[in-house]
Amino acid sequence: EVEMHKGFECKRGALECKIFFLNCVDPRLNCEKWSKEEEIHLFKSEHQDAHRWDLVAQALPTRRAPVDALMQVQQVYCPLLSTGKWTAAEDSALRLAIQKHGAETQIPEGGKRDWVLIAQCLQSEFEVRRNEQQCMQRFIAWERKKGRWSKEEDTALLAKLAIVHPPCAQHPEGDIWGLKPEEIAKLVNWRLVCVAVEGRSAWQ
Protein backbone atom coordinates (compact mmCIF):
# COMPACT_ATOMS: atom_id res chain seq x y z
CA GLU A 1 0.00 0.00 0.00
CA VAL A 2 2.93 2.35 0.65
CA GLU A 3 4.32 1.84 -2.87
CA MET A 4 0.90 2.49 -4.37
CA HIS A 5 0.64 5.72 -2.38
CA LYS A 6 4.09 6.86 -3.54
CA GLY A 7 3.10 6.36 -7.15
CA PHE A 8 0.57 9.20 -7.02
CA GLU A 9 1.05 12.90 -6.48
CA CYS A 10 -1.28 13.49 -3.55
CA LYS A 11 -1.17 14.57 0.07
CA ARG A 12 -2.96 11.49 1.42
CA GLY A 13 -1.21 8.98 3.64
CA ALA A 14 -1.05 5.28 2.85
CA LEU A 15 -3.39 4.41 5.74
CA GLU A 16 -5.90 7.08 4.71
CA CYS A 17 -5.90 5.75 1.13
CA LYS A 18 -6.47 2.22 2.41
CA ILE A 19 -9.37 3.26 4.66
CA PHE A 20 -11.03 5.25 1.88
CA PHE A 21 -10.69 2.36 -0.57
CA LEU A 22 -12.04 -0.28 1.83
CA ASN A 23 -15.01 1.87 2.90
CA CYS A 24 -15.95 3.68 -0.29
CA VAL A 25 -14.60 2.48 -3.63
CA ASP A 26 -13.73 -1.21 -3.28
CA PRO A 27 -15.66 -2.76 -6.22
CA ARG A 28 -16.38 -5.85 -4.09
CA LEU A 29 -18.49 -3.86 -1.61
CA ASN A 30 -22.17 -4.70 -1.21
CA CYS A 31 -24.22 -1.50 -1.61
CA GLU A 32 -27.64 -3.13 -1.66
CA LYS A 33 -30.35 -2.63 0.97
CA TRP A 34 -29.69 -4.57 4.18
CA SER A 35 -31.52 -7.89 4.37
CA LYS A 36 -33.12 -9.40 7.48
CA GLU A 37 -30.47 -12.13 7.55
CA GLU A 38 -27.65 -9.56 7.43
CA GLU A 39 -29.14 -7.56 10.29
CA ILE A 40 -29.38 -10.71 12.42
CA HIS A 41 -25.68 -11.43 11.79
CA LEU A 42 -24.81 -7.77 12.45
CA PHE A 43 -26.56 -7.40 15.79
CA LYS A 44 -25.22 -10.74 17.07
CA SER A 45 -21.62 -9.78 16.35
CA GLU A 46 -19.37 -10.24 19.37
CA HIS A 47 -17.17 -7.33 18.28
CA GLN A 48 -19.78 -4.57 18.61
CA ASP A 49 -19.01 -3.75 22.23
CA ALA A 50 -15.37 -3.13 21.33
CA HIS A 51 -16.42 -0.88 18.42
CA ARG A 52 -14.21 -2.86 16.04
CA TRP A 53 -16.31 -2.22 12.97
CA ASP A 54 -13.63 -3.64 10.72
CA LEU A 55 -14.02 -7.00 12.50
CA VAL A 56 -17.81 -6.67 12.45
CA ALA A 57 -17.75 -6.19 8.67
CA GLN A 58 -15.34 -9.08 8.17
CA ALA A 59 -17.67 -11.38 10.14
CA LEU A 60 -20.53 -10.64 7.73
CA PRO A 61 -20.69 -13.00 4.73
CA THR A 62 -22.01 -10.30 2.39
CA ARG A 63 -19.02 -7.93 1.91
CA ARG A 64 -20.18 -4.87 3.80
CA ALA A 65 -17.88 -1.90 4.51
CA PRO A 66 -17.06 -1.18 8.19
CA VAL A 67 -18.70 2.25 7.92
CA ASP A 68 -21.89 0.65 6.53
CA ALA A 69 -22.06 -1.69 9.54
CA LEU A 70 -21.62 1.27 11.92
CA MET A 71 -24.31 3.36 10.23
CA GLN A 72 -26.78 0.48 10.15
CA VAL A 73 -26.39 -0.11 13.89
CA GLN A 74 -26.75 3.59 14.61
CA GLN A 75 -29.92 3.85 12.53
CA VAL A 76 -31.55 0.88 14.30
CA TYR A 77 -30.27 1.41 17.84
CA CYS A 78 -30.55 5.22 17.82
CA PRO A 79 -34.16 5.97 16.88
CA LEU A 80 -33.75 9.57 18.05
CA LEU A 81 -31.08 10.19 15.42
CA SER A 82 -32.24 12.71 12.83
CA THR A 83 -32.31 11.14 9.38
CA GLY A 84 -34.27 13.68 7.35
CA LYS A 85 -33.20 16.69 5.34
CA TRP A 86 -30.84 19.07 7.14
CA THR A 87 -32.49 22.22 8.43
CA ALA A 88 -31.00 25.72 8.28
CA ALA A 89 -30.50 25.62 12.06
CA GLU A 90 -28.62 22.31 11.82
CA ASP A 91 -26.43 23.67 9.04
CA SER A 92 -25.56 26.71 11.15
CA ALA A 93 -24.74 24.50 14.14
CA LEU A 94 -22.54 22.25 12.01
CA ARG A 95 -20.59 25.21 10.65
CA LEU A 96 -19.99 26.45 14.20
CA ALA A 97 -18.91 22.99 15.34
CA ILE A 98 -16.49 22.72 12.42
CA GLN A 99 -15.06 26.15 13.21
CA LYS A 100 -14.54 25.07 16.82
CA HIS A 101 -13.18 21.54 16.30
CA GLY A 102 -12.32 21.14 12.62
CA ALA A 103 -11.02 24.40 11.18
CA GLU A 104 -8.22 24.06 8.61
CA THR A 105 -5.70 25.58 11.05
CA GLN A 106 -6.57 22.94 13.68
CA ILE A 107 -5.91 19.93 11.45
CA PRO A 108 -2.36 18.58 11.86
CA GLU A 109 -0.29 18.03 8.74
CA GLY A 110 -1.31 14.74 7.17
CA GLY A 111 -4.32 14.53 9.50
CA LYS A 112 -8.04 14.93 8.99
CA ARG A 113 -11.10 16.35 10.74
CA ASP A 114 -12.35 14.51 13.81
CA TRP A 115 -15.97 14.02 12.76
CA VAL A 116 -16.73 12.05 15.93
CA LEU A 117 -15.78 15.09 18.01
CA ILE A 118 -17.76 17.40 15.72
CA ALA A 119 -20.86 15.19 16.02
CA GLN A 120 -20.48 15.10 19.80
CA CYS A 121 -20.27 18.90 19.83
CA LEU A 122 -23.49 19.12 17.81
CA GLN A 123 -25.34 16.90 20.27
CA SER A 124 -23.97 18.37 23.51
CA GLU A 125 -23.88 22.08 22.63
CA PHE A 126 -26.58 22.46 19.99
CA GLU A 127 -28.88 19.46 20.65
CA VAL A 128 -28.56 18.38 17.02
CA ARG A 129 -28.80 14.59 16.76
CA ARG A 130 -26.57 13.77 13.80
CA ASN A 131 -23.79 11.17 13.71
CA GLU A 132 -20.25 11.60 12.40
CA GLN A 133 -21.03 10.15 8.97
CA GLN A 134 -23.97 12.51 8.49
CA CYS A 135 -21.79 15.48 9.45
CA MET A 136 -19.02 14.44 7.09
CA GLN A 137 -21.42 13.82 4.18
CA ARG A 138 -23.12 17.17 4.77
CA PHE A 139 -19.77 18.94 4.64
CA ILE A 140 -18.88 17.09 1.43
CA ALA A 141 -22.22 18.20 -0.05
CA TRP A 142 -21.30 21.84 0.64
CA GLU A 143 -17.97 21.34 -1.11
CA ARG A 144 -19.50 19.48 -4.05
CA LYS A 145 -19.52 21.15 -7.42
CA LYS A 146 -22.83 22.22 -8.91
CA GLY A 147 -23.90 23.32 -12.36
CA ARG A 148 -22.97 22.16 -15.84
CA TRP A 149 -20.14 19.69 -16.31
CA SER A 150 -16.99 20.92 -18.07
CA LYS A 151 -15.44 19.13 -21.04
CA GLU A 152 -12.53 18.10 -18.80
CA GLU A 153 -14.94 16.50 -16.32
CA ASP A 154 -16.73 14.65 -19.12
CA THR A 155 -13.41 13.33 -20.43
CA ALA A 156 -12.28 12.20 -16.97
CA LEU A 157 -15.60 10.45 -16.34
CA LEU A 158 -15.57 8.54 -19.64
CA ALA A 159 -11.92 7.56 -19.19
CA LYS A 160 -12.58 6.19 -15.69
CA LEU A 161 -15.70 4.39 -16.90
CA ALA A 162 -13.69 2.62 -19.62
CA ILE A 163 -11.08 1.51 -17.05
CA VAL A 164 -13.38 0.40 -14.25
CA HIS A 165 -16.10 -1.11 -16.43
CA PRO A 166 -14.45 -2.14 -19.73
CA PRO A 167 -17.38 -4.44 -20.67
CA CYS A 168 -19.65 -1.41 -20.38
CA ALA A 169 -17.58 0.72 -22.74
CA GLN A 170 -19.01 -1.31 -25.60
CA HIS A 171 -22.19 -3.16 -24.66
CA PRO A 172 -22.87 -6.43 -26.57
CA GLU A 173 -25.94 -4.82 -28.08
CA GLY A 174 -24.23 -1.56 -28.98
CA ASP A 175 -23.07 1.68 -27.37
CA ILE A 176 -23.83 1.76 -23.64
CA TRP A 177 -25.34 5.24 -24.01
CA GLY A 178 -27.96 3.75 -26.28
CA LEU A 179 -29.41 1.95 -23.28
CA LYS A 180 -32.09 3.31 -20.98
CA PRO A 181 -30.82 5.28 -17.91
CA GLU A 182 -32.04 2.60 -15.51
CA GLU A 183 -30.15 -0.07 -17.49
CA ILE A 184 -26.94 1.96 -17.38
CA ALA A 185 -27.36 2.49 -13.63
CA LYS A 186 -27.46 -1.29 -13.07
CA LEU A 187 -24.32 -1.89 -15.11
CA VAL A 188 -22.05 0.69 -13.48
CA ASN A 189 -20.65 1.08 -9.94
CA TRP A 190 -20.87 4.88 -9.85
CA ARG A 191 -19.30 5.11 -6.39
CA LEU A 192 -16.12 3.73 -7.89
CA VAL A 193 -16.28 5.85 -11.05
CA CYS A 194 -16.98 9.21 -9.37
CA VAL A 195 -13.58 9.39 -7.65
CA ALA A 196 -12.10 10.33 -11.04
CA VAL A 197 -14.04 13.61 -11.07
CA GLU A 198 -13.16 15.73 -8.06
CA GLY A 199 -16.13 17.42 -6.43
CA ARG A 200 -18.78 15.26 -8.14
CA SER A 201 -20.87 12.64 -6.39
CA ALA A 202 -21.93 9.18 -7.58
CA TRP A 203 -25.47 10.47 -8.03
CA GLN A 204 -24.27 13.27 -10.28
Side-chain angles (χ1 to χ4, degrees):
E1 71 189 50
V2 174
E3 292 302 319
M4 182 182 295
H5 163 65
K6 289 180 179 178
F8 293 90
E9 294 183 2
C10 68
K11 298 181 180 180
R12 304 291 184 180
L15 179 59
E16 189 175 3
C17 291
K18 179 180 179 181
I19 292 174
F20 179 75
F21 176 81
L22 292 177
N23 281 283
C24 301
V25 299
D26 187 340
R28 298 168 299 176
L29 290 179
N30 180 1
C31 302
E32 300 295 327
K33 182 179 179 180
W34 283 75
S35 66
K36 297 281 187 180
E37 292 75 14
E38 282 185 299
E39 290 185 343
I40 292 174
H41 279 292
L42 176 63
F43 298 128
K44 285 184 176 179
S45 175
E46 61 186 19
H47 303 292
Q48 278 194 39
D49 292 338
H51 300 292
R52 288 297 306 274
W53 298 106
D54 55 332
L55 299 180
V56 171
Q58 289 175 16
L60 293 171
T62 49
R63 294 190 180 278
R64 291 289 183 177
V67 67
D68 285 341
L70 166 62
M71 292 181 67
Q72 185 69 11
V73 169
Q74 288 181 327
Q75 289 175 6
V76 175
Y77 282 163
C78 305
L80 297 180
L81 194 69
S82 297
T83 57
K85 184 177 179 180
W86 282 71
T87 65
E90 287 178 319
D91 280 343
S92 297
L94 178 57
R95 287 189 172 92
L96 290 174
I98 291 175
Q99 289 176 5
K100 186 173 183 179
H101 298 293
E104 293 292 343
T105 55
Q106 297 174 323
I107 302 175
E109 184 176 355
K112 56 184 179 181
R113 287 184 174 85
D114 188 341
W115 292 106
V116 173
L117 182 60
I118 291 171
Q120 291 174 346
C121 175
L122 278 183
Q123 295 184 31
S124 62
E125 298 185 25
F126 302 99
E127 297 185 354
V128 174
R129 297 184 180 277
R130 298 283 186 175
N131 63 28
E132 60 271 21
Q133 285 298 318
Q134 290 175 305
C135 294
M136 181 180 69
Q137 292 299 327
R138 185 58 174 169
F139 176 79
I140 292 174
W142 292 339
E143 299 291 301
R144 186 175 299 148
K145 292 181 181 178
K146 296 180 176 64
R148 294 180 62 86
W149 284 55
S150 66
K151 291 184 178 180
E152 291 77 12
E153 288 178 317
D154 286 340
T155 301
L157 174 63
L158 292 174
K160 185 67 174 180
L161 180 63
I163 294 173
V164 175
H165 294 281
C168 297
Q170 184 66 34
H171 192 265
E173 297 181 2
D175 190 346
I176 183 177
W177 305 120
L179 301 176
K180 295 179 180 179
E182 58 269 22
E183 293 175 328
I184 296 176
K186 292 179 180 179
L187 286 172
V188 179
N189 183 343
W190 296 108
R191 290 177 61 184
L192 182 58
V193 173
C194 75
V195 297
V197 188
E198 185 177 356
R200 297 291 186 177
S201 69
W203 287 105
Q204 289 177 300

